[in-house]
Amino acid sequence: MNLEKLYQPSVPMVILNGALDKVRTGYYPALFYPEFAKCATRFYSDFEAAYYLRPLGGIGWLFRVYPEPWQLVRQQRDDLQLIETFERRPMLGDA
């Protein structure tokens, strides 16, 4: 479904999609999916994550609950340790 066709600027849009990162980060190569890549750049790149939780190699998590800042946390045996906060979503390689 092309959500861009449903979008109306005056109406908030909520999307539950665990794979939206794949769309926004180039997982689908523009060479093979040129129209999809244009849509991703034009439409999905401006989305604001309200809830986000991504594991980082078994050592921690990138976490956010809007409007709080992005949080990088380290998972310990019985606890989570806050490592750093970010106002903007960090690139996964930077986290």
Side-chain angles (χ1 to χ4, degrees), residues 55-87:
L56 299 174
I59 59 169
W61 302 85
L62 182 58
F63 172 74
R64 184 179 192 211
V65 175
Y66 184 85
E68 298 297 320
W70 293 85
Q71 299 176 30
L72 179 61
V73 295
R74 177 178 295 143
Q75 185 173 347
Q76 298 175 332
R77 187 170 192 87
D78 298 324
D79 197 15
L80 294 175
Q81 176 188 10
L82 179 63
I83 302 299
E84 190 171 351
T85 60
F86 306 88
E87 288 304 315

Side-chain angles (χ1 to χ4, degrees), residues 6 9 11 19-20 22 33 47 55-56 64 76 84 88 90:
L6 299 174
V11 179
L20 190 57
K22 288 183 179 181
Y33 306 97
F47 275 44
L56 299 174
R64 184 179 192 211
Q76 298 175 332
E84 190 171 351
R88 299 179 136 222

